[in-house]
Amino acid sequence: MSATAQAPAADRPAASTALANLRILDLTRVRAGPTCCRIFADFGADVIKVEAPDGVDPNESMSGARDGYDMLNLHRNKRSLSLNLKRKEGLELFLKLVETADVVVENYRPDVKARLGIDYPALKARNPRIILASISGFGQDGPYARRAGFDQIAQGMGGLMWVTGLPGQGPVRAGAAVADSTAGLYAATGILVALRERDVSGEGQWVQTSLLQAQIALCDFQAARYLVDGVVPEQSGNDHPYSTPMGVIATADGFINLAVGGDGQWRDLCRAIQRSDLAEHPDYATQPQRLAHRAQVWALLAPIFAADTSANWLQRLEEVGVPAGPIYRMDEVFEDPQVKHLGLARSVTHPRLGEVTLVGQPIGLSRTPPAVVAPLSDKGADGDAILAEIGLDAGRIAALRAEGIL
């Protein structure tokens, strides 16, 4: 925390002690930016969600209902300050908060920061230690910089939609906002790197990522196949691009994922299905041979797996060490005993909704684990306390509220 920073309010429960010395100013909305800030909030940072007063932001509805599942899940553990940055008084209050902060996170279109007067040079002038994290659709400069970006657009431009789906089906989007979420994770990684570097240099810096960059990076080995080998990956449905048999197979009562990743596992599978003759068959004994005869491999396995239930197959495969797993709908996910053991479902008490269960952080720390302890505040609910921490008295706060600044 910068030298002039104030400690979080005493009555605010700490989500964790891991990052309790940090203050994050969260200007983000929709998904990528809130995903980034949620990490810091769950690890105990004082995350202040800075929001425009009602009627100021014409796109406020993009984030959904305030008491809706998405807002509750993305913005827990944060304090809320309503502030009109388009007014000179509101901008000055924000810059005064910047003096007390460690990080500002925003996901405006790149030109908006300069127009509002909160670009990196402006923030640095008020606090040389400040770290600005900017998440955009396509990057902070370049020919597409000012385009509006959404997850599905990045999925298409980043190559994901042409490696997803069945061969010949046409482009298919992933069933989750993978570009948004990944951009948020990369932004958080960049912030943590900048914070560590600041311990040495004493200076902040500008962290940048985009949905497009994150989506290309997420494609990883598929992108590397093209860059290194010149191979343009195609859709392969539920089959792994080069490991066979690794994909979905029907059973007597549903489907399971079967994942044979090496020749030893192939021999183990042959033992489990009581077809030892296939283990050293010249068409199937090695991975390249199985890939060359992929259709035949699946055709051989299909009637065998269709003769027994998913549960029985999973048990038999586990006994011989062949990786396999059930394919759940979301209700089944949270009933799985391992998921319950990992504690991914976290409950918090909401003043209107009562107990609400949200998705916890998928990270464990032995001494300072994350926690979900507070629901999303009503807009501006923490404003009086936050502004008092930077020296405003009750009269001044009331006057700013009457003027429409708060």
Side-chain angles (χ1 to χ4, degrees):
M1 184 181 287
S2 54
T4 56
Q6 304 293 318
D11 60 350
R12 175 176 178 255
S16 169
T17 59
L19 300 177
N21 64 323
L22 297 178
R23 172 170 283 178
I24 315 290
L25 303 182
D26 177 5
L27 294 170
T28 69
R29 58 188 180 185
V30 188
R31 185 168 316 284
T35 296
C36 169
C37 294
R38 177 176 61 187
I39 294 170
F40 292 90
D42 285 1
F43 279 102
D46 180 22
V47 179
I48 299 174
K49 179 173 171 53
V50 181
E51 310 178 68
D54 290 342
V56 172
D57 181 358
N59 295 310
E60 183 176 21
S61 61
M62 283 198 305
S63 297
R66 195 171 192 88
D67 286 351
Y69 67 89
D70 210 18
M71 287 284 283
L72 292 174
N73 195 50
L74 284 168
H75 296 288
R76 74 279 186 111
N77 291 343
K78 301 177 183 179
R79 297 197 287 170
S80 174
L81 170 66
S82 177
L83 194 60
N84 188 348
L85 297 179
K86 296 179 180 180
R87 299 275 296 273
K88 183 176 70 172
E89 300 92 335
L91 174 61
E92 180 55 34
L93 286 173
F94 178 76
L95 293 175
K96 191 169 181 62
L97 276 171
V98 168
E99 296 174 6
T100 77
D102 297 280
V103 181
V104 174
V105 186
E106 60 86 17
N107 60 352
Y108 300 126
R109 283 190 296 188
D111 56 308
V112 172
K113 291 186 292 298
R115 191 163 69 244
L116 288 175
I118 55 171
D119 55 2
Y120 180 62
L123 302 185
K124 182 180 179 182
R126 298 296 286 258
N127 180 358
R129 291 173 56 82
I130 199 70
I131 292 162
L132 172 63
S134 296
I135 307 170
S136 60
F138 306 100
Q140 293 298 307
D141 47 32
Y144 302 159
R146 294 196 177 191
R147 290 186 183 180
F150 286 94
D151 176 86
Q152 186 157 340
I153 296 171
Q155 286 192 32
M157 292 181 66
L160 181 67
M161 292 177 68
W162 272 123
V163 297
T164 304
L166 299 171
Q169 182 178 7
V172 178
R173 67 181 292 274
V178 292
D180 271 339
S181 297
T182 306
L185 294 173
Y186 279 126
T189 302
I191 291 168
L192 291 170
V193 172
L195 286 168
R196 182 65 185 92
E197 193 280 336
R198 192 181 70 177
D199 290 341
V200 178
S201 69
E203 297 183 22
Q205 56 185 305
W206 187 11
V207 175
Q208 305 170 33
T209 191
S210 69
L211 273 61
L212 181 58
Q213 290 168 285
Q215 180 59 80
I216 295 169
L218 184 63
C219 284
D220 196 33
F221 77 90
Q222 294 282 42
R225 286 178 74 191
Y226 170 70
L227 292 175
V228 176
D229 292 341
V231 175
V232 178
E234 300 292 342
Q235 292 167 306
S236 56
N238 290 316
D239 287 341
H240 190 278
Y242 53 78
S243 290
T244 298
M246 186 176 291
V248 175
I249 192 162
T251 66
D253 61 352
F255 302 89
I256 63 170
N257 270 317
L258 176 66
V260 176
D263 297 340
Q265 290 177 354
W266 168 251
R267 292 189 288 273
D268 292 334
L269 174 64
C270 292
R271 181 158 49 94
I273 64 174
Q274 298 181 338
R275 288 293 306 270
S276 58
D277 58 302
L278 299 177
E280 302 300 334
H281 191 288
D283 288 344
Y284 314 129
T286 68
Q287 185 63 264
Q289 291 164 336
R290 290 193 298 277
L291 185 60
H293 298 90
R294 170 179 276 171
Q296 293 171 233
V297 172
W298 285 118
L300 284 166
L301 295 177
I304 297 171
F305 276 83
D308 207 347
T309 64
S310 295
N312 285 343
W313 276 118
L314 292 172
Q315 181 178 344
R316 288 167 66 179
L317 294 169
E318 184 175 357
E319 287 172 354
V320 298
V322 174
I327 301 175
Y328 289 146
R329 294 181 182 273
M330 199 56 68
D331 57 339
E332 297 171 303
V333 170
F334 288 98
E335 289 302 313
D336 182 276
Q338 182 66 22
V339 175
K340 288 184 175 180
H341 172 77
L342 293 171
L344 264 294
R346 297 287 182 173
S347 295
V348 66
T349 301
H350 189 277
R352 288 181 295 278
L353 304 177
E355 184 174 295
V356 177
T357 305
L358 306 173
V359 184
Q361 286 291 340
I363 308 168
L365 273 70
S366 60
R367 289 190 298 102
T368 56
V372 180
V373 295
L376 170 63
S377 300
D378 289 340
K379 182 186 286 189
D382 306 293
D384 288 15
I386 293 167
L387 295 176
E389 290 166 12
I390 58 172
L392 275 69
D393 61 27
R396 179 59 179 147
I397 293 170
L400 288 168
R401 186 165 285 116
E403 295 167 13
I405 307 300
L406 306 180

